[in-house]
Amino acid sequence: MMIHGFKSSNQDFSFGPWKVTAIKTHIMKSADVEKLAEEMNMPCLPEMMFGDNVLRIQHSSGFGIEFTAKDGLRRVNKNKGMVKVACAEEWQESRSDSEHSKEIVKPYDWTYTTDYKGTLLGHDLTFNTVPTTERINTEKLKAREQIMFFEEVLLFEDELHDHGVSSLSVKIRVMPSGFFLLLRFFLRVDGVLIRMNDTRLYHESDKTFMLREYTSRESKISNLSHVPPPLYTEPNEISQYLPITETIYEKLEFPSLQQTELGDSPGPVSQAAS
């Protein structure tokens, strides 16, 4: 679990043709959360919903990628619960506010599991996403290098009625050679399972593309008896013990210079990238 502070901040960091924007503000008000839940056709949203938080990487030409809680939740399964546990019914009942108390709670994934990988920015001018055999050079990332900018932004978190934790956060570091970003969905349902969906985004300054790697890991708690329980709450430590269930390797190719010169200044698209 991240340590939560309520100090709002709005940071911009420019390097070359890129600008990183990190906005961190307060938890959404309950009335706004209820309205958003209705719009998204979900019975309720995470307890700590940072709907105005965002981490954005945008090129001076307009194309880019951003990460928000709302788009992350749009990738949650809204039709059925993916984790069947004894506490699920109790949890749903506890989260049913007064105006919904007489309604039947709709089945949905109460763990808020999302395979969100970011929201591409731009209309006519945006990334071309293609599969790739190239991989992020992790050894290069381990090299000592000046950190020009670092920020971590929490998008949402829920303690699952004291039965675990579900969270989505994103962090970035900018170096002279490029930037590296990690978007992480972490889920721990006590006594049941641990799940992690990581999206890594890496750009080297002399390249005309970014590499995006999505990795999903999961294990039942019953299969982790050889792991010290204190590690269950440490995503960085527990990840090595979780079997990989899915990987997606993509290259986000930049628009050509000719397109850049001819294109208008675009804004964000309305749909989250899958």
Side-chain angles (χ1 to χ4, degrees):
M1 182 186 302
M2 294 178 62
I3 297 175
H4 310 301
F6 292 93
K7 182 179 180 181
S8 297
S9 66
N10 188 333
Q11 298 185 75
D12 284 331
F13 178 78
S14 297
F15 58 106
W18 299 97
K19 182 171 75 171
V20 175
T21 299
I23 299 174
K24 298 197 292 186
T25 185
H26 54 76
I27 296 173
M28 290 181 70
K29 296 179 180 179
S30 58
D32 294 331
V33 170
E34 291 175 8
K35 181 179 179 181
L36 181 60
E38 186 175 345
E39 291 175 0
M40 301 183 74
N41 196 31
M42 296 178 71
C44 53
L45 299 183
E47 293 169 318
M48 289 174 280
M49 178 71 183
F50 296 88
D52 294 322
N53 284 10
V54 63
L55 183 65
R56 181 183 303 116
I57 308 168
Q58 195 158 23
H59 192 273
S60 57
S61 300
F63 66 92
I65 187 170
E66 70 178 12
F67 302 85
T68 71
K70 296 175 185 177
D71 284 345
L73 287 173
R74 288 190 174 98
R75 299 292 306 174
V76 172
N77 189 315
K78 301 179 180 63
N79 300 314
K80 61 180 180 179
M82 303 299 288
V83 180
K84 304 292 186 181
V85 295
C87 64
E89 184 176 347
E90 172 192 352
W91 180 85
Q92 286 188 338
E93 288 177 355
S94 72
R95 296 295 299 279
S96 299
D97 35 42
S98 56
E99 63 188 72
H100 297 123
S101 60
K102 296 182 180 179
E103 298 178 7
I104 298 175
V105 177
K106 301 175 183 177
Y108 75 116
D109 185 357
W110 60 280
T111 69
Y112 302 110
T113 294
T114 178
D115 61 357
Y116 180 54
K117 302 196 295 291
T119 305
L120 300 184
L121 305 177
H123 294 294
D124 298 330
L125 190 71
T126 189
F127 290 109
N128 179 37
T129 305
V130 296
T132 184
T133 56
E134 291 191 50
R135 299 291 182 262
I136 293 175
N137 188 338
T138 54
E139 290 305 313
K140 188 170 184 179
L141 284 172
K142 292 177 183 177
R144 280 184 165 277
E145 193 174 6
Q146 176 191 4
I147 304 299
M148 301 163 59
F149 178 81
F150 175 86
E151 189 55 270
E152 183 169 12
V153 179
L154 179 62
L155 300 178
F156 69 71
E157 184 170 305
D158 193 289
E159 294 184 347
L160 308 179
H161 193 52
D162 295 328
H163 290 289
V165 67
S166 172
S167 67
L168 183 67
S169 62
V170 58
K171 59 184 177 181
I172 187 173
R173 75 176 195 253
V174 180
M175 303 81 68
S177 64
F179 60 81
F180 176 72
L181 177 146
L182 172 63
L183 172 74
R184 170 167 288 170
F185 169 79
F186 179 73
L187 171 70
R188 186 190 76 253
V189 182
D190 293 335
V192 182
L193 64 79
I194 297 177
R195 176 184 295 152
M196 286 177 59
N197 294 339
D198 284 350
T199 296
R200 291 173 170 83
L201 190 68
Y202 182 46
H203 171 59
E204 295 183 63
S205 299
D206 59 344
K207 306 292 186 182
T208 57
F209 59 85
M210 298 180 189
L211 292 177
R212 183 168 66 177
E213 298 183 0
Y214 172 83
T215 306
S216 184
R217 299 172 181 267
E218 181 175 323
S219 177
K220 294 181 179 179
I221 297 293
S222 58
N223 294 331
L224 296 173
S225 57
H226 60 295
V227 181
L231 297 187
Y232 295 176
T233 61
E234 301 293 337
N236 291 333
E237 301 295 331
I238 195 65
S239 62
Q240 61 184 308
Y241 299 104
L242 306 178
I244 294 176
T245 58
E246 182 182 12
T247 56
I248 301 174
Y249 300 99
E250 297 172 311
K251 181 182 288 188
L252 305 185
E253 299 175 334
F254 299 172
S256 69
L257 180 60
Q258 183 178 7
Q259 287 177 306
T260 300
E261 292 173 343
L262 294 175
D264 295 329
S265 178
V269 293
S270 58
Q271 295 184 342
S274 62

